[in-house]
Amino acid sequence: MKIIGINTSPREGSNSRIALEKALSTAAQKGADTELFDLNSMNIRTCQADDYCASNNGTCCQDDDLQQIYSAIKDAYGIILGTPIYMGNVSSLAKIFIDRLYAVMNGVDFYGVSSKKFSVIASQAAVDPPMYEYIKHNLETSVDVIRGMGFVVEDVELLIGNARENSISSKEDQLNKAIMVGNKIVR
Ligand SMILES: Cc1cc2nc3c(=O)[nH]c(=O)nc-3n(C[C@H](O)[C@H](O)[C@H](O)COP(=O)(O)O)c2cc1C
């Protein structure tokens, strides 16, 4: 069983990446093969909207590093997307990743989407409810798109109060949420 993590934070000491690593190591303890992709250090372009994938069974014609991830998605039992919250929404790298899932959406049977689990871990700075209710709404909207493709959405965790790098390292409750994500995605 393969579980892949998609990290879309660019920074060292990324909280969402720490949570992603925790979820993946938990899944590995349960016997999963895991792989973590750092999108910020990969050569990835945005969707070119050429619709090649629509007439080629979900194959994206772009010769960039996302091809590795398409292969990994095809083999994966579960996918965990990690994202910082930027300006009230997922990061731009996460948005590019979701846009590039257009190819997967156009090849749902080829990729075996309906039997794959998908979880999301997001991290933000704000702690006041008025500051994050709309972010939760925006995050859910992105997740609805993923669900609409046919993925089985398992968990969506929004970790709050993480303005500084490595903030979650000392937050047992947030690390436990990441562990729960890792436990549930292999079930
Ligand atoms: C460009 C930018 C935009 C941000 N926008 C928000 C925001 O709208 N709401 C919020 O609560 N935090 C915001 N933050 C703070 C990050 O969401 C927060 O530091 C988060 O924990 C970063 O995740 P990471 O550590 O995984 O990179 C922003 C940070 C940056 C750099």
Side-chain angles (χ1 to χ4, degrees), residues 139-154:
L139 190 56
E140 282 297 341
T141 303
S142 293
V143 171
D144 277 348
V145 170
I146 291 162
R147 191 180 285 113
M149 292 174 192
F151 285 104
V152 181
V153 174
E154 188 77 40

Side-chain angles (χ1 to χ4, degrees), residues 107-179:
V108 282
D109 295 334
F110 175 71
Y111 288 95
V113 169
S114 63
S115 62
K116 293 187 197 296
K117 295 189 179 189
F118 204 115
S119 290
V120 180
I121 301 175
S123 175
Q124 70 174 44
V127 287
D128 297 334
M131 288 290 290
Y132 72 83
E133 281 306 324
Y134 81 100
I135 294 175
K136 268 164 75 177
H137 170 79
N138 289 344
L139 190 56
E140 282 297 341
T141 303
S142 293
V143 171
D144 277 348
V145 170
I146 291 162
R147 191 180 285 113
M149 292 174 192
F151 285 104
V152 181
V153 174
E154 188 77 40
D155 282 306
V156 183
E157 290 295 334
L158 179 56
L159 310 175
I160 67 172
N162 296 320
R164 307 302 324 156
E165 299 90 337
N166 299 306
S167 294
I168 81 158
S169 299
S170 56
K171 294 182 179 172
E172 203 177 334
D173 58 330
Q174 296 196 4
L175 293 173
N176 282 338
K177 283 183 180 171
I179 289 170

Side-chain angles (χ1 to χ4, degrees), residues 33-108:
D33 287 331
T34 64
E35 189 168 10
L36 178 53
F37 295 94
D38 289 301
L39 263 55
N40 192 51
S41 56
M42 297 173 78
N43 171 33
I44 287 173
R45 301 181 70 211
T46 192
C47 174
Q48 299 299 298
D50 49 46
D51 261 351
Y52 180 89
C53 59
S55 48
N56 287 277
N57 202 25
T59 299
C60 177
C61 63
Q62 293 201 66
D63 184 17
D64 69 358
D65 290 347
L66 213 83
Q67 293 298 341
Q68 298 167 38
I69 299 184
Y70 286 129
S71 297
I73 289 174
K74 192 170 187 309
D75 292 345
Y77 178 80
I79 299 144
I80 311 175
L81 172 64
T83 181
I85 295 297
Y86 286 169
M87 305 307 178
N89 218 317
V90 297
S91 69
S92 49
L93 280 172
K95 183 64 167 63
I96 288 174
F97 173 71
I98 294 167
D99 288 354
R100 294 287 299 273
L101 289 178
Y102 185 62
V104 175
M105 192 180 90
N106 279 316
V108 282

